[in-house]
Amino acid sequence: MNKAVTARAHTNIALIKYWGKKNSELIIPTTSSLSLTLDKFYTDTTVFFDDQLEQDELFLNNTMIKNKALTKTSEFLDLVRQMAGIKAYANITSVNHVPTAAGLASSASGFAALAAASSKAAGLDLNRKDLSRLARRGSGSASRSIFGGFTEWIAGEDDLTSYAHPIQENVTMDIQMLTVVLDGSPKKIGSRQGMQHAIATSPFYDTWVAESAVDLVAMKHAITNNDFQALGELAEHNALQMHSLNFTAKPAFTYFNGDTLNILNLIQDLRHQGIQAYATMDAGPNVKIISQSADTQIISNAIKNNFPSALVEIAKPGPGISYL
Ligand code: DP6
């Protein structure tokens, strides 16, 4: 103990989405999900347990944080303290290399980096499966950011059986996510609240659970067969199903705005021109375009011509957790 440990975790974007929990305290999802970890966006977190501290202190992007984020972080560290049998509070310094825009999943990289840095700083030596279980307790999608490339989070039934594992860490397919950021404002409905509302009120929730299992099997085939088109079609279909739950909740809500739909239309137009481009959206209005490197220019130009204010970032498959 008493040493500072720094870990780096990359964000991931789900191709088969997680949208609902069967156990909210342990964060056990209703469905398994599958994601791609990205190279471009990541979080670096340093943790140091210090007997002199009277409470945990958190610095996020060089700013001291006192609000809900500190409470969430402290609750997470309580789990680590319990596992390690220590009492000391921690100093946590976290830097997000993720645009602070909605829907870019900084909680995934954030809790994955925190799980890795805090467990090691507390003297624990967890394997990647147990790190994934721990990260899951902070944020479900964080369980997948322990691994690189294509990763599946097995829903499981309880704390021991719900964890992520790699499907293909060194991605062989030519695949990238072209992120189009049009709206950087924070989301109005957090994913935690949104997914519980969808479970509780959408009449299609059971259908989602059944369909998502079918999509997952097909997605694994697409990855094994290096079939980019099948992967893209499935990912877009699965994302639209997830968002349909929100449209059919009572009261209905959506993360989409007008530009989300405009970009979805543009992607369809591109496909009619023979460009393979597919969309996925998370708990925010911004669209990630699943595409291949040869089409980067043509897709970026189409976006810039239609949405001059859009910020376009290109991310490729990225690695799992590392210690710096
Ligand atoms: C739409 O992992 O942020 O990005 O477990 O409540 O912290 P909590 O939720 P979170 O939800 C992510 C939802 C999603 C889809 C996905 O990443 O699978």
Side-chain angles (χ1 to χ4, degrees):
M1 230 186 66
N2 282 353
K3 63 171 194 237
V5 177
T6 303
R8 173 172 294 178
H10 289 73
T11 60
N12 70 77
I13 298 295
L15 302 172
I16 301 293
K17 305 290 184 192
Y18 146 53
W19 199 240
K21 301 172 179 69
K22 57 189 175 208
N23 179 327
S24 299
E25 197 211 325
L26 294 174
I27 311 199
I28 311 297
T30 54
T31 63
S32 296
S33 54
L34 192 151
S35 60
L36 179 65
T37 301
L38 301 181
D39 62 348
K40 186 125 183 220
F41 310 125
Y42 57 90
T43 302
D44 287 340
T45 298
T46 304
V47 177
F48 176 63
F49 286 95
D50 183 346
D51 294 322
Q52 306 299 314
L53 289 174
E54 285 173 5
Q55 59 176 62
D56 293 318
E57 50 183 41
L58 171 65
F59 293 86
L60 190 56
N61 299 330
N62 294 319
T63 308
M64 191 168 193
I65 305 287
K66 292 264 184 207
N67 58 17
K68 232 172 73 190
L70 175 63
T71 313
K72 249 184 121 177
T73 302
S74 276
E75 284 170 4
F76 182 84
L77 289 178
D78 287 342
L79 294 172
V80 176
R81 282 186 274 262
Q82 202 178 11
M83 286 167 78
I86 62 168
K87 291 218 150 41
Y89 291 110
N91 174 289
I92 309 113
T93 312
S94 195
V95 180
N96 260 335
H97 300 266
V98 182
T100 42
L104 277 176
S106 61
S107 76
S109 55
F111 275 105
L114 182 64
S118 63
S119 58
K120 210 181 187 88
L124 295 165
D125 186 19
L126 302 182
N127 60 32
R128 293 203 298 170
K129 174 178 164 184
D130 290 338
L131 264 185
S132 170
R133 289 176 44 227
L134 176 61
R136 190 199 77 230
R137 300 290 296 273
S139 190
S141 52
S143 66
R144 299 184 307 237
S145 271
I146 300 300
F147 302 98
F150 293 115
T151 299
E152 176 187 16
W153 173 16
I154 302 169
E157 290 302 327
D158 53 25
D159 179 44
L160 280 176
T161 53
S162 186
Y163 56 87
H165 73 127
I167 296 286
Q168 190 185 83
E169 286 218 87
N170 295 312
V171 172
T172 50
M173 187 186 282
D174 174 9
I175 182 170
Q176 62 185 19
M177 295 256 180
L178 211 137
T179 322
V180 186
V181 180
L182 277 159
D183 180 356
S185 56
K187 47 191 158 190
K188 292 184 199 82
I189 307 159
S191 36
R192 194 155 288 191
Q193 196 191 340
M195 65 176 82
Q196 284 316 108
H197 182 59
I199 287 200
T201 64
S202 171
F204 301 114
Y205 198 83
D206 290 343
T207 308
W208 155 258
V209 172
E211 287 298 311
S212 145
V214 175
D215 288 353
L216 180 68
V217 172
M219 184 58 83
K220 287 190 196 168
H221 280 299
I223 292 168
T224 312
N225 299 334
N226 257 314
D227 187 342
F228 176 80
Q229 182 175 343
L231 178 149
E233 286 174 358
L234 275 163
E236 186 172 301
H237 173 66
N238 185 270
L240 289 171
Q241 282 194 83
M242 178 203 119
H243 288 277
S244 302
L245 295 174
N246 307 337
F247 279 117
T248 51
K250 285 181 195 159
F253 70 104
T254 183
Y255 295 104
F256 292 2
N257 63 20
D259 282 334
T260 311
L261 295 175
N262 289 332
I263 293 185
L264 283 173
N265 276 329
L266 180 68
I267 291 172
Q268 272 184 17
D269 288 348
L270 285 166
R271 281 208 293 267
H272 287 141
Q273 293 164 37
I275 310 294
Q276 289 202 19
Y278 303 92
T280 188
M281 292 75 57
D282 294 293
N286 297 315
V287 179
K288 276 76 77 175
I289 305 178
I290 303 164
S291 52
Q292 296 183 294
S293 47
D295 297 322
T296 304
Q297 211 53 51
I298 198 155
I299 299 172
S300 306
N301 287 347
I303 297 290
K304 282 181 187 144
N305 289 339
N306 289 280
F307 308 95
S309 67
L311 182 73
V312 177
E313 305 254 20
I314 295 150
K316 306 261 181 193
I321 203 91
S322 61
Y323 293 96
L324 305 181

PDB file of all heavy atoms in Angstrom, residues 224-236:
ATOM      1  N   THR A 224     -16.240 -13.103 -36.343  1.00  0.00           N
ATOM      2  CA  THR A 224     -15.422 -14.275 -36.703  1.00  0.00           C
ATOM      3  C   THR A 224     -15.206 -14.333 -38.213  1.00  0.00           C
ATOM      4  O   THR A 224     -14.120 -14.680 -38.682  1.00  0.00           O
ATOM      5  CB  THR A 224     -16.130 -15.575 -36.253  1.00  0.00           C
ATOM      6  OG1 THR A 224     -16.552 -15.389 -34.910  1.00  0.00           O
ATOM      7  CG2 THR A 224     -15.206 -16.770 -36.341  1.00  0.00           C
ATOM      8  N   ASN A 225     -16.242 -13.978 -38.974  1.00  0.00           N
ATOM      9  CA  ASN A 225     -16.127 -14.067 -40.441  1.00  0.00           C
ATOM     10  C   ASN A 225     -15.582 -12.800 -41.081  1.00  0.00           C
ATOM     11  O   ASN A 225     -15.581 -12.682 -42.300  1.00  0.00           O
ATOM     12  CB  ASN A 225     -17.512 -14.359 -41.057  1.00  0.00           C
ATOM     13  CG  ASN A 225     -18.074 -15.680 -40.575  1.00  0.00           C
ATOM     14  OD1 ASN A 225     -17.324 -16.578 -40.199  1.00  0.00           O
ATOM     15  ND2 ASN A 225     -19.393 -15.799 -40.572  1.00  0.00           N
ATOM     16  N   ASN A 226     -15.148 -11.841 -40.256  1.00  0.00           N
ATOM     17  CA  ASN A 226     -14.645 -10.576 -40.804  1.00  0.00           C
ATOM     18  C   ASN A 226     -15.647  -9.932 -41.743  1.00  0.00           C
ATOM     19  O   ASN A 226     -15.269  -9.353 -42.767  1.00  0.00           O
ATOM     20  CB  ASN A 226     -13.353 -10.822 -41.583  1.00  0.00           C
ATOM     21  CG  ASN A 226     -12.143 -10.391 -40.794  1.00  0.00           C
ATOM     22  OD1 ASN A 226     -12.134  -9.311 -40.213  1.00  0.00           O
ATOM     23  ND2 ASN A 226     -11.147 -11.258 -40.750  1.00  0.00           N
ATOM     24  N   ASP A 227     -16.908 -10.016 -41.407  1.00  0.00           N
ATOM     25  CA  ASP A 227     -17.961  -9.542 -42.303  1.00  0.00           C
ATOM     26  C   ASP A 227     -18.404  -8.145 -41.859  1.00  0.00           C
ATOM     27  O   ASP A 227     -19.301  -7.985 -41.029  1.00  0.00           O
ATOM     28  CB  ASP A 227     -19.126 -10.543 -42.251  1.00  0.00           C
ATOM     29  CG  ASP A 227     -20.207 -10.245 -43.277  1.00  0.00           C
ATOM     30  OD1 ASP A 227     -20.252  -9.103 -43.791  1.00  0.00           O
ATOM     31  OD2 ASP A 227     -21.015 -11.143 -43.552  1.00  0.00           O
ATOM     32  N   PHE A 228     -17.770  -7.127 -42.419  1.00  0.00           N
ATOM     33  CA  PHE A 228     -18.040  -5.754 -42.000  1.00  0.00           C
ATOM     34  C   PHE A 228     -19.488  -5.347 -42.244  1.00  0.00           C
ATOM     35  O   PHE A 228     -20.125  -4.710 -41.407  1.00  0.00           O
ATOM     36  CB  PHE A 228     -17.082  -4.773 -42.704  1.00  0.00           C
ATOM     37  CG  PHE A 228     -17.392  -3.346 -42.366  1.00  0.00           C
ATOM     38  CD1 PHE A 228     -16.965  -2.791 -41.175  1.00  0.00           C
ATOM     39  CD2 PHE A 228     -18.150  -2.560 -43.224  1.00  0.00           C
ATOM     40  CE1 PHE A 228     -17.289  -1.484 -40.835  1.00  0.00           C
ATOM     41  CE2 PHE A 228     -18.482  -1.251 -42.896  1.00  0.00           C
ATOM     42  CZ  PHE A 228     -18.039  -0.717 -41.691  1.00  0.00           C
ATOM     43  N   GLN A 229     -20.000  -5.710 -43.398  1.00  0.00           N
ATOM     44  CA  GLN A 229     -21.379  -5.293 -43.725  1.00  0.00           C
ATOM     45  C   GLN A 229     -22.385  -5.871 -42.725  1.00  0.00           C
ATOM     46  O   GLN A 229     -23.258  -5.158 -42.231  1.00  0.00           O
ATOM     47  CB  GLN A 229     -21.735  -5.737 -45.150  1.00  0.00           C
ATOM     48  CG  GLN A 229     -23.125  -5.279 -45.545  1.00  0.00           C
ATOM     49  CD  GLN A 229     -23.474  -5.581 -46.994  1.00  0.00           C
ATOM     50  OE1 GLN A 229     -22.595  -5.859 -47.810  1.00  0.00           O
ATOM     51  NE2 GLN A 229     -24.754  -5.531 -47.313  1.00  0.00           N
ATOM     52  N   ALA A 230     -22.229  -7.170 -42.418  1.00  0.00           N
ATOM     53  CA  ALA A 230     -23.155  -7.789 -41.452  1.00  0.00           C
ATOM     54  C   ALA A 230     -23.014  -7.103 -40.095  1.00  0.00           C
ATOM     55  O   ALA A 230     -24.008  -6.816 -39.420  1.00  0.00           O
ATOM     56  CB  ALA A 230     -22.873  -9.285 -41.331  1.00  0.00           C
ATOM     57  N   LEU A 231     -21.780  -6.808 -39.688  1.00  0.00           N
ATOM     58  CA  LEU A 231     -21.553  -6.133 -38.407  1.00  0.00           C
ATOM     59  C   LEU A 231     -22.249  -4.775 -38.371  1.00  0.00           C
ATOM     60  O   LEU A 231     -22.947  -4.438 -37.420  1.00  0.00           O
ATOM     61  CB  LEU A 231     -20.047  -5.990 -38.161  1.00  0.00           C
ATOM     62  CG  LEU A 231     -19.601  -5.274 -36.885  1.00  0.00           C
ATOM     63  CD1 LEU A 231     -18.269  -5.836 -36.387  1.00  0.00           C
ATOM     64  CD2 LEU A 231     -19.474  -3.763 -37.063  1.00  0.00           C
ATOM     65  N   GLY A 232     -22.072  -4.007 -39.437  1.00  0.00           N
ATOM     66  CA  GLY A 232     -22.653  -2.670 -39.476  1.00  0.00           C
ATOM     67  C   GLY A 232     -24.174  -2.708 -39.460  1.00  0.00           C
ATOM     68  O   GLY A 232     -24.820  -1.975 -38.699  1.00  0.00           O
ATOM     69  N   GLU A 233     -24.745  -3.601 -40.272  1.00  0.00           N
ATOM     70  CA  GLU A 233     -26.214  -3.689 -40.332  1.00  0.00           C
ATOM     71  C   GLU A 233     -26.784  -4.078 -38.970  1.00  0.00           C
ATOM     72  O   GLU A 233     -27.784  -3.518 -38.514  1.00  0.00           O
ATOM     73  CB  GLU A 233     -26.639  -4.709 -41.404  1.00  0.00           C
ATOM     74  CG  GLU A 233     -26.437  -4.167 -42.822  1.00  0.00           C
ATOM     75  CD  GLU A 233     -26.716  -5.195 -43.917  1.00  0.00           C
ATOM     76  OE1 GLU A 233     -27.041  -6.360 -43.600  1.00  0.00           O
ATOM     77  OE2 GLU A 233     -26.588  -4.828 -45.098  1.00  0.00           O
ATOM     78  N   LEU A 234     -26.132  -5.053 -38.336  1.00  0.00           N
ATOM     79  CA  LEU A 234     -26.616  -5.504 -37.020  1.00  0.00           C
ATOM     80  C   LEU A 234     -26.500  -4.411 -35.970  1.00  0.00           C
ATOM     81  O   LEU A 234     -27.403  -4.221 -35.152  1.00  0.00           O
ATOM     82  CB  LEU A 234     -25.772  -6.688 -36.543  1.00  0.00           C
ATOM     83  CG  LEU A 234     -26.183  -8.060 -37.045  1.00  0.00           C
ATOM     84  CD1 LEU A 234     -25.031  -9.042 -36.831  1.00  0.00           C
ATOM     85  CD2 LEU A 234     -27.434  -8.520 -36.287  1.00  0.00           C
ATOM     86  N   ALA A 235     -25.369  -3.713 -35.969  1.00  0.00           N
ATOM     87  CA  ALA A 235     -25.146  -2.684 -34.946  1.00  0.00           C
ATOM     88  C   ALA A 235     -26.184  -1.583 -35.080  1.00  0.00           C
ATOM     89  O   ALA A 235     -26.755  -1.128 -34.086  1.00  0.00           O
ATOM     90  CB  ALA A 235     -23.734  -2.110 -35.076  1.00  0.00           C
ATOM     91  N   GLU A 236     -26.453  -1.158 -36.326  1.00  0.00           N
ATOM     92  CA  GLU A 236     -27.432  -0.083 -36.514  1.00  0.00           C
ATOM     93  C   GLU A 236     -28.834  -0.550 -36.091  1.00  0.00           C
ATOM     94  O   GLU A 236     -29.561   0.155 -35.391  1.00  0.00           O
ATOM     95  CB  GLU A 236     -27.433   0.387 -37.979  1.00  0.00           C
ATOM     96  CG  GLU A 236     -28.325   1.592 -38.175  1.00  0.00           C
ATOM     97  CD  GLU A 236     -28.205   2.214 -39.573  1.00  0.00           C
ATOM     98  OE1 GLU A 236     -27.089   2.623 -39.955  1.00  0.00           O
ATOM     99  OE2 GLU A 236     -29.230   2.281 -40.271  1.00  0.00           O
TER     100      GLU A 236
END
